[in-house]
């Protein structure tokens, strides 16, 4: 499973990249709005940091297929060919996906709440579809089950489209989809940092250090003993 950061805060992105093997970044209009900066200023800074080869998902704003295509052209021009253009999985979006796919521009079907949306996005040429796990839960359904159902549909029909699962509230949701073989997950920095929040892990490391220092002296390591 690819692991991406779902955020536009460059400081948080750099901090996560410092410690974890990250495959890219996703953004959306709401995330960009939180930055308080002009969209392409933020996006260009992120692209510069993560590099030209990393996956980068950026969303269109226009409501019509023609407008979405124009947005997509600008996004790719500004941020490079390895940028996946996020398109809402609605009728106008499906039309835009088909046009962009014919032009060689890769797309991500976003705002996915149902397996049928995902199926239609895949049929329209989307490279990824992004089911909103926690938002689906908040509607009274099972987001994990929906993502698994989408995965089963893609496998059964031999579709190359992958899932980019989004909207997580905890690490267990990510783990469940990782176990099922879902292709990618985009996760907020807070949830990524929660992956290893475990008192037993900290206690084990502290015990090893205490035992070693009891043998060699306070502050000693394998390089200084």
């Amino acid at each position: 499973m690819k692991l991406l950061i779902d955020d536009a805060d460059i400081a948080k992105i750099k901090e996560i990249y410092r410690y974890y093997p990250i495959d890219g970044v996703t953004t959306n209009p709401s995330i960009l709005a939180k930055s308080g900066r002009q969209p392409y200023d933020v996006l260009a800074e992120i692209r510069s940091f993560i590099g030209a080869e990393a996956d980068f998902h950026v969303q269109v704003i226009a409501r019509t297929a023609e407008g979405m295509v124009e947005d997509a052209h600008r996004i790719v021009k500004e941020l490079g060919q390895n940028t996946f253009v996020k398109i809402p999985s609605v009728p106008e979006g499906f039309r835009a996906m088909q046009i962009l796919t014919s032009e060689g521009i890769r797309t991500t079907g976003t705002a996915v709440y149902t397996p049928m949306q995902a199926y239609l996005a895949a049929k329209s040429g989307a490279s990824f579809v992004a089911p909103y796990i926690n938002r689906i839960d908040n509607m009274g359904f099972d987001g994990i089950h929906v993502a698994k159902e989408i995965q089963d549909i893609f496998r059964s029909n031999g579709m190359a489209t992958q899932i980019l699962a989004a909207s997580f509230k905890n690490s267990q949701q990510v783990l469940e989809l990782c176990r099922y073989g879902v292709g990618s997950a985009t996760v907020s920095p807070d949830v990524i940092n929660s992956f290893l929040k475990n008192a037993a892990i900290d206690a084990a490391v502290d015990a090893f250090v205490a035992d070693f220092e009891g043998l060699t002296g306070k502050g000693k390591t394998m390089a200084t003993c």
Side-chain angles (χ1 to χ4, degrees), residues 34-81:
K34 290 178 182 177
S35 74
R37 299 167 58 197
Q38 290 301 303
Y40 283 107
D41 291 345
V42 179
L43 294 168
E45 187 174 12
I46 294 171
R47 172 54 89 192
S48 177
F49 172 72
I50 67 177
E53 300 303 315
D55 289 358
F56 196 20
H57 297 252
V58 178
Q59 189 164 331
V60 301
I61 300 298
R63 295 293 192 108
T64 67
E66 291 78 11
M68 292 176 189
V69 170
E70 289 182 3
D71 278 4
H73 289 165
R74 173 77 186 280
I75 289 168
V76 172
K77 178 183 177 181
E78 296 283 348
L79 303 171
Q81 289 296 320

Side-chain angles (χ1 to χ4, degrees), residues 130-207:
Y132 290 170
I133 305 304
N134 199 53
R135 294 191 190 185
I136 294 171
D137 284 355
N138 290 338
M139 294 173 63
F141 300 98
D142 186 337
I144 296 295
H145 176 78
V146 169
K148 288 181 176 180
E149 189 173 358
I150 293 168
Q151 180 85 340
D152 291 341
I153 289 170
F154 290 171
R155 285 173 175 166
S156 297
N157 290 276
M159 291 174 156
T161 304
Q162 296 188 51
I163 291 175
L164 173 63
S167 178
F168 293 97
K169 68 177 179 180
N170 59 57
S171 60
Q172 184 60 37
Q173 292 172 318
V174 182
L175 178 61
E176 184 66 22
L177 293 184
C178 184
R179 184 183 296 120
Y180 202 69
V182 164
S184 302
T186 182
V187 188
S188 71
D190 288 344
V191 173
I192 292 175
N193 281 322
S194 77
F195 286 177
L196 296 178
K197 283 187 177 178
N198 187 317
I201 297 172
D202 295 337
V205 174
D206 289 344

Side-chain angles (χ1 to χ4, degrees), residues 111-130:
V112 172
Y113 289 83
T114 70
M116 185 54 71
Q117 281 181 286
Y119 170 73
L120 290 171
K123 287 282 287 180
S124 298
S127 298
F128 291 93
V129 296

